[in-house]
Amino acid sequence: MYFSPEYIQKVIEKNDIVDVVSRYTSLKENRSGFVGLCPLHNEKTPSFMVSREKQVFYCFGCSKSGTLIHFIMERENLNFVDSIMFLSNIAGIDFLEYNDRESAVYEKKQEIYNLNNLAADYYFKILNSDFGLEGMEYLKKRKINDYSIEKFQVGYSTNDRNGLVNYLTKIGYDLCQIISAGLAVKKTNGSVWDVFFGRIIFPIIDIKKNIVGFGGRSLNETILPKYLNTSETLVFKKGQNLFGLNFAKENSCKSLIIVEGYTDVITLHQNKVVNSVACLGIAFTKEHLKLIKNYVDSVFLCYDSDEAGMKASNRAAEVLLNSNIKIKVIQIDNAKDVDEYIKIYGIDNFDLKIKNSLDYFEYKVNDFKKLYFVQTVNEKIKTLHKFVDFVFKIDDLLKREVYIENFSKELGISKKILFKEFEKQKILNNLKYKNKNLKKEGKQKIEKDSQLISAEKLLISLMFNKKNFEVISKKINPDDFCAEFHKKIAHTIYDFYKAEEDVNSAKFFSIFNQEEIPKIVEMLYKTKNLLFVSQDFDEKKQNNKIMQPIKIIKMNILKSRMNELATRGNIEDLNEIVKKLKEVDLQEEAGT
């Protein structure tokens, strides 16, 4: 979807970053701007900074930064388009009024949502009619009560291949609209069938409370596959939704229990466990992680007890390992899944399972130990290598030490050997990393010179103070910067001062795209100049701060020129460059 620059600017102007962020966390004003606890990660000491002047934010804890749009994208787990829409709603701006030429995509999405609502209503009514007796009998057998049926809008599709299609066409929708919504499919003979027939229907609802698709469970062994989801549409991507997450978010849950099936989630909700969600028949993905990372601080994996469930649990944990989310594993005994366990042993026993759940690393170590004691010598060696590979993924040094220590004690293996193997793994990983980096040459060579890049970043941040700029602009120009992105920022700063415009304004940041803005904001904070550069200017104190990075940049220019001349064998010009290098050193010492 396209948004005109005028529309985006209107949305930005109508939403003050301090006002919107204050909906998520309490901000206090100080001499630097506004500060509070970060709403993007859990922290006890405020490290989240907001500038009303620049309309940007930065967190020293999680390093997230950017404009209000970036904040909404992070906090609400929305893409750019949906973030603009979100802010439009807050400001009460009519999207269609400003985006007539692109309203077709928006209208198409709304059409699919409307069709899904009608379909959900149709399936629900069928379930609660004489045609839905088979479906209702199945649900009652699974002990799903009327309240849950209504809460989750569970429905039923009969064996009629055209029931929903006929219903929707009578209302006025054409076949193309129904097919594009993922509710019907065109067969090779030209006939159009309902996607779902002979199934219990579970509407899939996103965090914005839209019905985006459906999951269907077959009640007849001849109707395959047993579980079927809506195919991907304009509003539905299987790997970007979790069944039940809308309720977890609504209840402000800080932890999630991830299970496998729709009925697992419904059974847990019936027993007041409202933080349960399920993947839609696929493995837990990075997209799922993006969906939950700003809402929760811990995840309990509670997959089915079979081998496939254990593999799914491990795959999910591997995705979660690179986040700050705590991972725990709930082990189900003597039952195939959560639903069956609760029906046999009751919710109180399941609550005990939650309380006694193992840290994922502890769970894995126990798993390795169980394997080790029943294996042959060669198998044992393979298991030990797997353990070393696994421990290598642990960032927490103390935790790593404890696991190796305990593992060596319980298995009677020297911890020195395990640590030695660990060091080998580290060397191998470093070699892989170096080999990967050797392939990256050319433009990235500049980025490797950390001293030069740091100098450029420092000068850019200093130039946000006009008096600093007046000193710097006499010494270097924008094209003296090596990194292309830094050149772009420098040119913009020079242009703004030349036009007598304020670089400390939202207008300045509007020049840059959505990927560039957070980099600039982070640059300003990390160089300790912050966004809120004081207008007080002490020439003596600032002199060293300014001259040192200027020297580094000038030396780099001269050295590059010297290398060129040396290659050509131009001795006379080469001597001139050496002379200039000495002059730069002398100027720096004199502070001029």
Side-chain angles (χ1 to χ4, degrees):
M1 185 181 288
Y2 169 83
F3 288 111
S4 66
E6 296 79 17
Y7 180 75
I8 294 172
Q9 193 57 38
K10 184 84 173 173
V11 171
I12 291 167
E13 286 170 3
K14 290 285 184 182
N15 286 282
D16 178 74
I17 191 167
V18 174
D19 294 340
V20 176
V21 170
S22 293
R23 293 173 173 225
Y24 300 91
T25 189
S26 177
L27 296 174
K28 290 182 180 178
E29 191 170 10
N30 61 22
R31 64 183 181 82
S32 302
F34 291 83
V35 64
L37 291 170
C38 180
L40 304 180
H41 81 288
N42 293 315
E43 63 178 9
K44 293 179 181 178
T45 305
S47 65
F48 186 78
M49 308 289 289
V50 182
S51 167
R52 175 167 269 154
E53 186 182 27
K54 286 185 174 66
Q55 291 291 302
V56 291
F57 73 93
Y58 181 80
C59 177
F60 285 96
C62 64
S63 297
K64 296 283 170 59
S65 61
T67 63
L68 178 56
I69 296 168
H70 294 98
F71 175 80
I72 293 300
M73 288 171 74
E74 284 289 339
R75 184 63 182 82
E76 295 292 337
N77 277 313
L78 301 175
N79 59 30
F80 177 77
V81 171
D82 287 337
S83 296
I84 295 292
M85 295 294 289
F86 184 91
L87 291 168
S88 299
N89 290 333
I90 290 176
I93 302 170
D94 186 353
F95 163 72
L96 296 178
E97 183 184 336
Y98 285 86
N99 289 272
D100 290 339
R101 64 191 172 122
E102 291 297 328
S103 63
V105 175
Y106 174 80
E107 287 174 352
K108 186 65 184 172
K109 284 187 175 183
Q110 294 307 309
E111 179 186 282
I112 294 174
Y113 290 140
N114 290 337
L115 277 161
N116 284 343
N117 286 334
L118 289 166
D121 188 54
Y122 169 82
Y123 293 134
F124 183 77
K125 284 178 178 174
I126 291 290
L127 177 67
N128 288 280
S129 72
D130 291 341
F131 297 104
L133 292 175
E134 185 184 10
M136 191 61 83
E137 187 182 333
Y138 170 82
L139 293 171
K140 295 302 177 187
K141 188 179 176 183
R142 298 295 298 263
K143 296 186 179 177
I144 295 173
N145 61 33
D146 292 341
Y147 173 78
S148 294
I149 289 170
E150 191 167 341
K151 177 181 177 179
F152 286 91
Q153 301 176 55
V154 182
Y156 177 68
S157 60
T158 66
N159 290 323
D160 182 357
R161 264 55 167 181
N162 304 106
L164 180 63
V165 168
N166 291 338
Y167 171 72
L168 294 173
T169 50
K170 279 178 187 175
I171 292 172
Y173 288 96
D174 62 44
L175 293 175
C176 288
Q177 290 173 306
I178 301 167
I179 291 168
S180 68
L183 296 169
V185 61
K186 193 171 186 176
K187 296 292 182 179
T188 51
N189 63 4
S191 62
V192 176
W193 283 11
D194 291 357
V195 167
F196 300 103
F197 50 86
R199 295 177 182 274
I200 294 293
I201 305 295
F202 302 95
I204 298 161
I205 303 168
D206 69 11
I207 54 175
K208 292 176 281 182
K209 300 181 181 178
N210 297 309
I211 297 177
V212 293
F214 298 91
R217 200 272 190 201
S218 170
L219 297 186
N220 190 322
E221 289 181 5
T222 62
I223 298 173
L224 298 172
K226 185 176 180 180
Y227 294 99
L228 179 68
N229 287 316
T230 299
S231 55
E232 293 201 351
T233 68
L234 204 56
V235 302
F236 179 67
K237 301 284 185 292
K238 203 160 50 168
Q240 294 176 11
N241 289 278
L242 289 167
F243 183 72
L245 185 61
N246 55 311
F247 294 117
K249 184 172 184 270
E250 197 176 279
N251 286 280
S252 303
C253 300
K254 283 294 180 186
S255 66
L256 287 180
I257 298 174
I258 300 178
V259 294
E260 280 198 46
Y262 299 110
T263 51
D264 293 330
V265 172
I266 294 172
T267 297
L268 285 167
H269 274 253
Q270 272 186 190
N271 288 278
K272 312 299 181 192
V273 184
V274 295
N275 63 332
S276 53
V277 299
C279 297
L280 307 175
I282 63 168
F284 187 86
T285 66
K286 287 180 181 177
E287 293 302 316
H288 288 134
L289 175 58
K290 285 179 188 176
L291 198 61
I292 69 170
K293 66 179 181 179
N294 289 332
Y295 301 132
V296 301
D297 50 32
S298 59
V299 162
F300 295 81
L301 301 174
C302 190
Y303 285 86
D304 293 355
S305 59
D306 58 11
E307 190 179 345
M310 289 169 70
K311 283 181 180 176
S313 185
N314 284 321
R315 282 195 297 268
E318 283 172 15
V319 174
L320 289 159
L321 278 175
N322 295 318
S323 71
N324 291 321
I325 296 172
K326 292 176 187 172
I327 315 164
K328 292 208 158 191
V329 180
I330 300 171
Q331 293 175 285
I332 298 297
D333 311 306
N334 305 316
K336 68 178 186 333
D337 56 28
V338 176
D339 176 54
E340 186 177 87
Y341 183 88
I342 291 172
K343 285 179 174 62
I344 297 171
Y345 302 104
I347 191 64
D348 290 341
N349 279 310
F350 184 75
D351 285 339
L352 281 173
K353 288 279 182 189
I354 296 173
K355 285 176 186 174
N356 297 326
S357 59
L358 293 174
D359 172 275
Y360 175 67
F361 293 106
E362 200 177 337
Y363 162 79
K364 280 296 289 180
V365 169
N366 286 346
D367 205 29
F368 284 127
K369 286 191 289 194
K370 282 177 195 172
L371 286 170
Y372 185 84
F373 287 120
V374 294
Q375 289 178 325
T376 63
V377 174
N378 286 336
E379 287 171 338
K380 285 178 194 284
I381 292 166
K382 284 180 184 177
T383 296
L384 289 173
H385 280 296
K386 282 180 184 177
F387 170 75
V388 170
D389 290 343
F390 168 73
V391 171
F392 188 80
K393 295 173 186 174
I394 304 172
D395 292 327
D396 189 318
L397 295 175
L398 286 173
K399 192 180 276 189
R400 188 190 289 166
E401 178 90 19
V402 168
Y403 285 138
I404 291 176
E405 181 85 34
N406 289 348
F407 195 71
S408 68
K409 274 182 186 176
E410 295 197 33
L411 271 63
I413 295 168
S414 164
K415 68 176 180 180
K416 284 183 182 178
I417 292 171
L418 288 174
F419 275 114
K420 196 177 278 187
E421 283 300 316
F422 176 82
E423 288 304 317
K424 269 193 212 172
Q425 183 64 41
K426 197 154 75 172
I427 291 164
L428 283 171
N429 271 47
N430 285 338
L431 283 171
K432 283 178 191 174
Y433 178 76
K434 283 176 184 174
N435 289 336
K436 216 175 185 180
N437 280 347
L438 283 172
K439 295 173 185 176
K440 298 178 182 178
E441 298 290 341
K443 288 183 182 179
Q444 290 188 345
K445 193 174 181 182
I446 295 167
E447 301 299 330
K448 290 178 187 177
D449 191 338
S450 59
Q451 189 185 39
L452 176 61
I453 295 305
S454 296
E456 291 188 353
K457 286 179 178 180
L458 178 57
L459 275 189
I460 285 168
S461 64
L462 284 165
M463 286 194 290
F464 276 80
N465 178 291
K466 192 173 183 180
K467 289 181 181 177
N468 286 340
F469 173 77
E470 286 168 359
V471 176
I472 294 164
S473 60
K474 290 174 186 174
K475 304 286 182 183
I476 60 173
N477 63 64
D479 288 323
D480 289 335
F481 287 85
C482 285
E484 289 302 317
F485 181 45
H486 295 167
K487 278 184 188 177
K488 179 180 175 179
I489 303 168
H491 272 292
T492 309
I493 291 172
Y494 276 65
D495 290 344
F496 260 65
Y497 279 124
K498 190 177 179 182
E500 296 186 349
E501 292 195 67
D502 185 12
V503 294
N504 293 293
S505 65
K507 185 180 178 182
F508 176 85
F509 287 90
S510 69
I511 302 291
F512 300 90
N513 65 40
Q514 294 302 312
E515 286 74 37
E516 292 170 336
I517 293 169
K519 293 176 185 176
I520 300 171
V521 176
E522 183 180 18
M523 189 186 303
L524 292 167
Y525 274 106
K526 285 203 169 177
T527 52
K528 300 194 182 334
N529 260 304
L530 308 185
L531 286 169
F532 320 105
V533 182
S534 170
Q535 293 305 308
D536 298 329
F537 185 80
D538 184 324
E539 190 172 347
K540 286 182 179 179
K541 284 184 180 178
Q542 291 294 89
N543 196 47
N544 277 341
K545 191 182 277 189
I546 293 171
M547 294 311 298
Q548 184 60 30
I550 287 175
K551 177 192 171 183
I552 292 168
I553 290 169
K554 280 190 171 183
M555 295 282 271
N556 178 70
I557 294 166
L558 291 170
K559 283 176 182 176
S560 296
R561 181 71 179 138
M562 192 167 71
N563 288 337
E564 283 178 29
L565 294 170
T567 305
R568 292 183 204 162
N570 192 328
I571 303 300
E572 191 177 327
D573 287 345
L574 192 59
N575 288 332
E576 186 63 29
I577 294 294
V578 172
K579 185 181 173 183
K580 284 182 179 178
L581 281 169
K582 288 178 181 177
E583 283 174 6
V584 170
D585 264 331
L586 289 170
Q587 283 172 2
E588 197 272 328
E589 283 172 21
T592 59

